[in-house]
Amino acid sequence: LVSLVRHAADAARPAIEARRHVLDLALPEEPVAVDGDAARLVQLLGNLLDNAVKYTEPAGRIAIAVAADGAWARVVVED
């Protein structure tokens, strides 16, 4: 999951920079395994980031945090 979040963040970076947003990533050092289609997960994460970019005031802050919580993985996007 961590690498998928990085991939989605990298893809969104031009739009983020164009609006002068600050992107904070809080990613664990260890991998967070998920059972899912990587392409669809990146698409979902990209959609969340696209919405955050659109609806955050220029020069605003967008934060993404990933955590493993027992058998669950958690992704939090704040804008």
Side-chain angles (χ1 to χ4, degrees), residues 1-6 8-9 24-34 45 63-69 72-78:
L1 186 59
V2 172
S3 64
L4 300 178
V5 169
R6 287 184 200 276
D24 292 327
L25 297 176
L27 306 174
E29 298 269 333
E30 65 281 347
V32 176
V34 293
L45 294 163
I64 304 172
V66 174
D69 188 7
W72 297 93
R74 181 178 50 225
V75 178
V76 177
V77 178
E78 291 182 51

Side-chain angles (χ1 to χ4, degrees), residues 15-66:
I16 290 167
E17 290 175 354
R19 302 235 350 170
R20 301 180 329 274
H21 294 317
V22 173
L23 178 62
D24 292 327
L25 297 176
L27 306 174
E29 298 269 333
E30 65 281 347
V32 176
V34 293
D35 184 17
D37 183 318
R40 295 299 138 240
L41 289 168
V42 169
Q43 182 181 28
L44 173 120
L45 294 163
N47 288 345
L48 289 172
L49 282 170
D50 286 345
N51 285 340
V53 168
K54 285 180 194 174
Y55 298 109
T56 299
E57 293 295 321
R61 179 182 165 273
I62 300 169
I64 304 172
V66 174

